[in-house]
Amino acid sequence: MSMQTIPVLETKRLILRGPEPEDYPNFKATFASYRSRFMGGPLNAYETWMLYAAEIGHWNIRGYGMWMIHDRATDETLGMAGGWFPAKWPEQELAWIIWPEKAGHGYALEATHAARRYFYDELGWDGAVSYIDPKNLDSIRLAERLGAVKDKSAASVDGHDVVYRHPSPDTLRSSQIADAIEMEISHYADPMFKPKGHALD
């Protein structure tokens, strides 16, 4: 799949596009920072370059991958969200990361919700998991807000992660999970909205 054929997803506040070379500096800064500690980082310059090359190559190998999240109003990048299934991964994963200075505005929720809908509706996925470091409480909360539940019986990547299983397409269609997510996203889209407590992605 060429970069020209990667689908573009649009939401209330965001545009999701395939990763481009010009998006690399923000990616590099994030994966060299403490923010990436739950995703194998911080990484050195070579490791970061190799991971970004893998992000781009994943689209060609798998036909899907991680989108770069752009602000609709400014076009600046905010993070990444999408599908991830490298070699030795037990199952197809929904993953996300938000740049440190952009956290706490619901961008990961909005982007991952859109990505999951695309994978379910357009690619026919019958489910997905998220592999999360058990100390990464922000991502655990986000997975739960997406309707995912801990699956203790599922195989982990390396034994050091917990597996959160996302609701199936049928469950999403027959429950109020999607409606609750849409309502939360609409709150974040309100410029007057101030989330209570600890900032969440």
Side-chain angles (χ1 to χ4, degrees), residues 10-169:
E10 298 192 23
T11 70
K12 287 178 169 57
R13 298 178 296 164
L14 311 173
I15 297 177
L16 278 61
R17 296 198 297 267
E20 297 282 358
E22 57 266 29
D23 300 321
Y24 177 62
N26 285 325
F27 180 92
K28 179 181 178 181
T30 296
F31 275 89
S33 76
Y34 188 62
R35 177 79 170 172
S36 67
R37 66 195 183 279
F38 298 127
M39 302 181 73
L43 304 180
N44 63 37
Y46 175 76
E47 292 168 332
T48 306
W49 190 92
M50 290 294 287
L51 180 58
Y52 196 67
E55 298 282 4
I56 294 174
H58 193 285
W59 280 99
N60 288 284
I61 295 170
R62 297 293 193 198
Y64 62 87
M66 298 283 286
W67 284 275
M68 193 66 63
I69 305 168
H70 293 261
D71 186 296
R72 283 183 71 101
T74 67
D75 202 43
E76 66 179 322
T77 62
L78 307 171
M80 299 185 80
W84 189 238
F85 191 36
K88 297 189 177 181
W89 242 236
E91 299 183 59
Q92 295 174 134
E93 180 181 15
L94 275 170
W96 56 83
I97 186 167
I98 297 296
W99 308 155
E101 69 278 9
K102 302 300 182 182
H105 299 284
Y107 296 136
L109 177 71
E110 188 169 337
T112 308
H113 180 53
R116 182 172 66 184
R117 183 170 54 236
Y118 175 84
F119 294 143
Y120 283 7
D121 295 347
E122 302 300 326
L123 298 189
W125 286 22
D126 58 7
V129 298
S130 292
Y131 300 105
I132 304 175
D133 187 301
K135 298 183 292 296
N136 189 351
L137 300 182
D138 285 353
S139 282
I140 288 173
R141 293 187 190 104
L142 177 55
E144 291 173 343
R145 285 152 64 213
L146 286 162
V149 296
K150 186 186 293 187
D151 186 346
K152 295 181 180 179
S153 66
S156 73
V157 173
D158 59 10
H160 299 293
D161 49 77
V162 291
V163 183
Y164 275 79
R165 187 165 300 282
H166 290 263
S168 68

